[in-house]
C-alpha cells in the first residue's frame, strides 16, 4: 500500500488523511495517509526518515512551508513564486516541491463558486504564507488590479516587491485601504481563527462584491458574518480551497484528478 503523510505543528486538527483517503477510494485504491507532528529542529530529519521508509508524497503545513521550500532541489513555478512548499514528492532522495494553495483557491472561486476573475479588482487582507501562495495564480487568471493590505505594511511591501514586474499589484497598510469597493475581497489573515475581523473599511464592499475567507469552520466565520452584515453579493469560507489544493496534490502524486464535490458534506456535516 502506498504511503503518504501531512507534517506540521500542531497537526492533530488536519483533515488531510480523511480527504486523501476519499480521493484514493475514488481512484479505486487504498492508501496509508498519516499525520506527523514535528518540531522545527527535527523537521528535515523526520522528512528524510519518512522518505527512506518509502513515503510517496508529503503535505506540508504550518509552520514548515518555508523550511521545506529552502530544502527542495526542484520547485514548480508556484512554489518558486510563493517561497513556500505545501506538497513534496521525492526523486531518488531529492525533495521536489510544489505549492497547490493558489490553484486550490482559483478552482474553488471559478469552478465551485462560479466567479470569473478576468479584469476583476481584488483586495487581499494579510501578507503571510497563504497570500504568498495565491498571488501568482490570481495574476495568471487575468485580474485587473491587486491590492495587498497588511497590519504590518513592511510585510505587504516585501511581498509586492517579489512581483515588481507586475504593474497591477500594490501594497498598503490596513489603515490606508482606499474607501472604494472591490470585486473580490479575500481575507488571508488568521484573524478568523480567534473570531476577529481585521480592521478594514466597510466601503470595500458593494452589492457586487464577493468576500472569501481562507479560514474555514463549521459555521460562518467572523469575516463572513461581517461581509453579510454589509450586504456583500456573496461570501464563502476556505473549505473549497482546502479540498481543491488537496486534489491538486493528489494529482501531482498519482496522476489522478479526484472530484471534490462529494467531500463537502462529509467535511461539514
Ligand atoms: P501567517 O503566515 O501566520 O499570516 C497571518 C496573517 O494574518 C499576517 O498577514 C498577519 O498580519 C495577519 N493577522 C493576524 N491576525 C490579524 C488581525 N487580528 N488583524 C489583522 N491582521 C491579522 O498565516 P497564513 O499561513 O498566511 O494563514 C492565513 C489564513 O489562511 C489562516 O486562517 C489559515 O488557516 C488560512 N489558510 C487556509 C488554507 C485553505 O486551504 N483554506 C490554506 C492556507 C492557509 P501581520 O503580518 O501584521 O502579523
Amino acid at each position: 500500500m502506498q504511503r503518504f503523510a501531512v507534517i506540521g505543528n500542531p497537526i492533530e486538527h488536519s483533515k488531510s488523511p480523511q480527504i486523501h483517503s476519499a480521493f484514493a477510494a475514488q481512484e479505486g485504491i487504498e492508501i496509508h495517509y498519516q499525520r506527523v507532528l514535528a518540531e522545527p529542529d527535527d523537521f528535515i530529519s523526520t522528512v528524510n526518515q519518512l522518505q527512506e521508509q518509502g513515503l510517496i508524497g508529503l503535505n506540508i503545513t504550518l509552520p514548515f512551508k518555508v523550511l521545506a521550500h529552502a530544502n527542495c532541489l526542484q520547485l514548480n513555478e508556484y512554489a518558486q513564486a510563493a517561497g513556500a512548499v505545501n506538497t513534496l514528492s521525492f526523486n531518488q532522495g531529492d525533495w521536489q516541491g510544489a505549492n497547490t494553495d493558489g490553484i486550490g483557491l482559483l478552482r474553488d472561486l471559478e469552478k465551485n463558486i462560479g466567479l470569473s476573475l478576468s479584469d476583476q479588482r481584488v483586495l487581499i487582507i494579510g501578507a503571510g504564507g497563504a497570500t504568498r501562495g495565491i498571488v501568482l495564480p490570481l495574476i495568471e487568471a487575468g485580474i485587473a488590479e491587486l491590492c495587498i493590505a497588511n497590519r504590518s505594511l513592511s510585510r505587504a511591501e516585501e511581498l509586492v516587491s517579489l512581483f515588481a514586474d507586475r504593474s497591477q499589484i500594490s501594497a498598503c497598510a490596513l489603515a490606508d485601504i482606499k474607501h472604494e469597493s472591490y470585486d473580490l475581497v479575500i481575507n488571508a489573515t488568521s484573524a478568523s481563527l480567534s473570531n476577529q475581523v481585521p480592521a478594514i473599511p466597510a466601503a470595500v464592499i458593494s452589492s457586487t462584491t464577493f468576500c472569501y475567507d481562507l479560514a474555514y469552520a463549521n459555521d460562518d466565520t467572523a469575516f463572513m458574518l461581517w461581509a453579510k452584515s454589509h450586504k456583500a453579493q456573496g461570501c464563502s469560507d476556505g473549505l473549497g480551497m482546502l479540498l481543491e489544493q488537496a486534489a491538486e496534490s493528489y494529482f501531482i502524486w498519482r496522476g489522478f484528478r479526484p472530484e471534490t464535490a462529494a467531500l463537502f458534506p462529509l467535511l461539514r456535516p
Side-chain angles (χ1 to χ4, degrees):
M1 198 183 298
Q2 288 194 340
R3 293 187 51 211
F4 301 85
V6 57
I7 188 165
N9 192 340
I11 199 61
E12 64 279 1
H13 66 286
S14 173
K15 294 180 191 291
S16 293
Q18 196 184 351
I19 295 172
H20 283 277
S21 299
F23 290 164
Q26 281 183 25
E27 196 193 348
I29 62 165
E30 259 188 76
I31 60 169
H32 182 264
Y33 190 111
Q34 66 182 119
R35 296 181 184 90
V36 178
L37 178 70
E39 297 298 330
D41 285 348
D42 63 24
F43 170 73
I44 294 172
S45 59
T46 305
V47 175
N48 283 331
Q49 227 168 29
L50 287 165
Q51 188 205 155
E52 279 157 24
Q53 290 161 7
L55 198 84
I56 302 288
L58 183 64
N59 280 128
I60 316 287
T61 188
L62 277 175
F64 299 126
K65 291 183 183 184
V66 173
L67 195 52
H69 172 272
N71 284 279
C72 282
L73 214 65
Q74 285 171 21
L75 294 163
N76 78 354
E77 60 169 325
Y78 298 113
Q80 249 170 47
V85 159
N86 77 338
T87 305
L88 266 189
S89 313
F90 304 104
N91 181 13
Q92 294 175 352
D94 294 337
W95 298 16
Q96 298 181 313
N99 190 309
T100 65
D101 282 337
I103 297 170
L105 171 67
L106 236 66
R107 292 229 172 96
D108 194 36
L109 289 171
E110 295 186 323
K111 182 183 79 146
N112 301 336
I113 296 170
L115 297 183
S116 166
L117 293 172
S118 173
D119 286 330
Q120 299 292 283
R121 295 181 65 243
V122 181
L123 172 66
I124 300 180
I125 318 293
T131 301
R132 282 175 166 264
I134 65 179
V135 171
L136 181 61
L138 282 171
I139 293 170
E140 287 181 347
I143 59 169
E145 185 186 326
L146 175 60
C147 175
I148 299 176
N150 198 44
R151 195 169 52 178
S152 9
L153 173 61
S154 58
R155 209 168 171 198
E157 285 177 333
E158 188 193 317
L159 179 48
V160 167
S161 73
L162 301 176
F163 297 89
D165 55 332
R166 313 281 186 157
S167 57
Q168 69 268 58
I169 308 189
S170 61
C172 74
L174 293 186
D176 295 328
I177 295 174
K178 286 187 206 145
H179 285 238
E180 57 188 38
S181 69
Y182 286 82
D183 299 307
L184 174 63
V185 178
I186 298 174
N187 180 23
T189 72
S190 42
S192 289
L193 304 179
S194 50
N195 239 357
Q196 293 179 317
V197 180
I200 55 173
V204 299
I205 297 183
S206 75
S207 59
T208 57
T209 304
F210 193 90
C211 292
Y212 192 98
D213 197 344
L214 298 197
Y216 47 86
N218 283 341
D219 300 312
D220 284 354
T221 65
F223 178 72
M224 289 168 70
L225 293 172
W226 178 81
K228 283 182 179 176
S229 74
H230 292 289
K231 309 235 173 335
Q233 176 236 324
C235 58
S236 172
D237 73 0
L239 183 66
M241 172 178 169
L242 176 79
L243 286 170
E244 297 295 346
Q245 63 78 28
E248 185 64 21
S249 295
Y250 194 90
F251 179 73
I252 288 171
W253 294 325
R254 297 273 322 149
F256 173 85
R257 194 169 286 291
E259 275 301 322
T260 54
L263 272 73
F264 280 87
L266 281 182
L267 293 174
R268 193 158 28 214

